Amino acid sequence: MTALPVTPPCDALIGGEWVPTQAWIEAESPSRGEAIARIARCQAEEVMVAVDAARRAFAGSVGDWARWTARRRGDWLLEFAATIEADHANLAALECADTGKPMRQAEADIRACARYFRFYGGGADKLHGETIPFDEGFAVMTLREPYGVCAQIIPWNYPAQIFGRCVAAALATGNTVVLKPAEDACLSVLRLAQLAQENGLPPGVLNVVPGLGREAGAALAAHPGIDHLSFTGSPETGTHVAQAAAVHHVPVTLELGGKSPQLVFADADLDAALEGVVRGIVQNAGQTCSAGSRLLLEASCAEAVLGELAERFAALRCAAGEADADCGPLINARQKARLEARLEAALADGVRVLACGRLAEGAPAGGHFVVPQLLGDVPSGHAVLREELFGPVLAVQVFRDEAEALRLANATPFGLCAGVWTRDGGRQLRLAKGIRSGQVFINNYGAGGGIELPFGGVGRSGHGREKGFEGLRSYTRLKTVAIRHG
Ligand code: NAD
């Protein structure tokens, strides 16, 4: 087994206790293909007990969480942010080992996780209802109340960041949580849960039920005792969980996939654009919901840009996360085989690899590496332009004018992000309005992941918003109170 910097408890966290399960899941290092830990494999029974524990903690009989003032909850979140920062090196090393992502990215993810607790800790006592002017003799107000027990099902690509995004917002607003992390990577989540307990979080306020999607995940989504469900993952699973939650009329936030375009016009700062385009697809080996996986290039600059881009792709190196190269491995052998099969099919359809990166010397033989690839000559409407590949693969298309660029940008069922690179102010605004997606970035891509910025999708990319103050509001429900005082 590859040694870990610290070993978090790998059981389920239920009602403040670490509870062992009957069965286990072998956690593997994507960089080496070796086992690194054995984590709990919860079943419906454990999920049931966890939901009960969260209910008791919310109702006040165990942890008094519902009776904590907003200020006290905020203070706890701020203290916890400092704890995460103090444990930064351990958490980053765990995230790097468990997901295979380059160390720099793992470090950035842990900083982002702490920042979520800081941002929402500060926001806890600043979220409030409103008064509404109404008829003579009435006083009308709205109250923002927590839902109660929030179920959160999260993926493996950014475990610590998504833990921060979901858990911090839910706790700040007075909810309790049952979280199902992904079977492929959850060690940082378990360490964070351990630190939260050590930091004095009342028992049952945060429960973690590791396990398989079809077991623990399905049981959680279908549980009649949850009051809210936040799901981050694939569109297919999103459909299943939304259907399961609908049976009990549970509100759902879905953060799903993407096939996001980067539009580069000839008048752009091309150096900055190329930097943003490469980073937008190589980050996390392309396993990012918001990856910029389609490049739309204005014809008049296409040849020059493609030449430069090919050089940049050829210079990219893949290595184990700890080696901190441009690109790490894919998460597991299944994802690698799936991506390779899709690439093979694309080549058979006439798609051409214009350039590709290489494995770095010494990259472990057992790692699930797929080198970054730039694809050209893609037939219009081809699967690589419509389907999420979830790997470091960028497909190029050329457009003649702004209208065609907009048509191509909107030609997928997804709508998560778009990057637009142009100096023309009018065009910036026209495209910001015309592109069908939750986020449009002009002359940047991703705005550094800004925690303050609401984030979410359109169409197959999901619905609801997390991050920013909008994310905080999404963990509350509004109650209207009308007082007739005469
Ligand atoms: P996935 O849907 O397979 O798994 C996500 C989570 O759902 C995991 O915890 C998994 O165990 C659980 N799950 C699987 N089947 C389930 C079921 N039947 N019932 C309940 N839970 C179940 O997705 P993935 O492959 O782990 O993650 C990749 C996907 O996530 C990509 O499509 C990516 O774009 C998306 N993603 C979206 C965002 C966002 O914020 N929009 C962020 C990260 C990832």
Side-chain angles (χ1 to χ4, degrees):
M1 252 192 205
T2 307
L4 291 172
V6 287
T7 310
C10 292
D11 296 335
L13 175 64
I14 301 178
E17 304 287 332
W18 291 97
V19 181
T21 48
Q22 298 282 327
W24 296 88
I25 298 169
E26 291 283 347
E28 187 202 67
S29 145
S31 296
R32 296 185 171 72
E34 293 167 0
I36 48 174
R38 292 173 76 203
I39 57 165
R41 179 173 162 182
C42 290
Q43 307 290 328
E45 298 75 54
E46 281 96 10
V47 170
M48 209 144 68
V49 183
V51 172
D52 282 351
R55 168 70 50 208
R56 284 200 307 279
F58 178 72
S61 64
V62 176
D64 278 343
W65 190 246
R67 286 203 284 266
W68 280 36
T69 61
R71 189 166 64 192
R72 189 170 168 210
R73 283 197 307 270
D75 285 346
W76 184 87
L77 267 82
L78 292 171
E79 279 165 29
F80 186 49
T83 301
I84 296 171
E85 283 154 1
D87 198 55
H88 180 263
N90 285 330
L91 283 163
L94 272 182
E95 194 76 325
C96 173
D98 203 16
T99 62
K101 64 179 68 192
M103 184 58 91
R104 243 170 336 182
Q105 178 68 47
E107 288 169 353
D109 287 5
I110 303 306
R111 280 195 299 277
C113 175
R115 173 92 182 103
Y116 276 113
F117 281 91
R118 232 169 241 303
F119 181 79
Y120 287 127
D125 60 359
K126 293 166 193 70
L127 186 74
H128 49 71
E130 295 177 326
T131 56
I132 298 170
F134 189 56
D135 288 356
E136 190 62 34
F138 277 87
V140 182
M141 69 185 111
T142 57
L143 306 178
R144 287 211 168 263
E145 299 183 333
Y147 279 102
V149 176
C150 291
Q152 303 184 332
I153 301 178
I154 68 171
W156 42 262
N157 53 353
Y158 291 87
Q161 273 215 47
I162 299 177
F163 175 96
R165 178 173 96 186
C166 296
V167 173
L171 297 189
T173 40
N175 300 280
T176 58
V177 170
V178 180
L179 179 127
K180 210 297 275 172
E183 49 272 50
D184 281 299
C186 64
L187 296 180
S188 63
V189 165
L190 292 165
R191 173 84 178 157
L192 286 160
Q194 176 189 26
L195 295 173
Q197 297 308 293
E198 290 172 7
N199 240 59
L201 190 67
V205 172
L206 170 65
N207 305 273
V208 181
V209 285
L212 300 180
R214 63 175 188 274
E215 295 174 354
L220 184 56
H223 197 294
I226 62 172
D227 301 305
H228 181 273
L229 174 67
S230 164
F231 172 80
T232 306
S234 61
E236 295 74 19
T237 312
T239 304
H240 289 306
V241 300
Q243 284 172 339
V247 172
H248 306 292
H249 309 289
V250 169
V252 175
T253 298
L254 294 181
E255 296 280 10
L256 309 177
K259 191 74 199 176
S260 299
Q262 296 247 39
L263 287 65
V264 177
F265 288 83
D267 71 342
D269 174 344
L270 292 178
D271 226 36
L274 286 184
E275 180 74 27
V277 165
V278 173
R279 197 145 11 92
I281 187 62
V282 170
Q283 178 177 324
N284 219 38
Q287 304 169 112
T288 304
C289 54
S290 54
S293 52
R294 293 185 292 141
L295 172 60
L296 311 185
L297 265 182
E298 187 166 15
S300 59
C301 68
E303 202 180 322
V305 168
L306 279 178
E308 169 74 17
L309 197 57
E311 278 178 32
R312 293 188 188 220
F313 263 72
L316 295 169
R317 294 291 171 269
C318 282
E322 292 78 5
D324 209 16
D326 304 302
C327 193
L330 298 194
I331 189 70
N332 57 32
R334 198 179 62 252
Q335 287 289 117
K336 178 180 167 170
R338 177 175 163 270
L339 177 56
E340 286 177 341
R342 285 166 156 214
L343 287 172
E344 213 172 290
L347 297 194
D349 292 339
V351 173
R352 220 156 42 87
V353 178
L354 304 180
C356 62
R358 276 199 281 132
L359 272 188
E361 248 176 68
H368 308 303
F369 299 104
V370 174
V371 295
Q373 302 184 37
L374 181 64
L375 302 184
D377 294 344
V378 187
S380 118
H382 192 276
V384 298
L385 299 173
R386 286 182 290 105
E387 294 171 7
E388 191 177 38
L389 297 178
F390 234 47
V393 179
L394 179 64
V396 182
Q397 288 174 285
V398 174
F399 63 82
R400 266 167 304 279
D401 55 23
E402 189 181 312
E404 188 181 14
L406 181 61
R407 186 178 58 71
L408 293 175
N410 285 340
T412 80
F414 292 101
L416 197 54
C417 294
V420 177
W421 302 84
T422 176
R423 288 189 167 99
D424 180 331
R427 179 186 284 152
Q428 292 173 358
L429 284 172
R430 284 191 297 276
L431 289 172
K433 290 180 184 172
I435 291 176
R436 184 176 167 271
S437 75
Q439 289 68 224
V440 178
F441 300 105
I442 312 276
N443 293 331
N444 78 94
Y445 195 68
I451 270 123
E452 304 83 348
L453 315 182
F455 184 87
V458 171
R460 196 167 157 77
S461 293
H463 51 77
R465 294 293 177 267
E466 301 215 59
K467 300 176 68 170
F469 245 69
E470 208 53 43
L472 208 53
R473 286 188 199 102
S474 78
Y475 280 99
T476 62
R477 71 179 141 218
L478 210 60
K479 180 185 278 174
T480 304
V481 179
I483 304 168
R484 183 168 193 174
H485 51 71

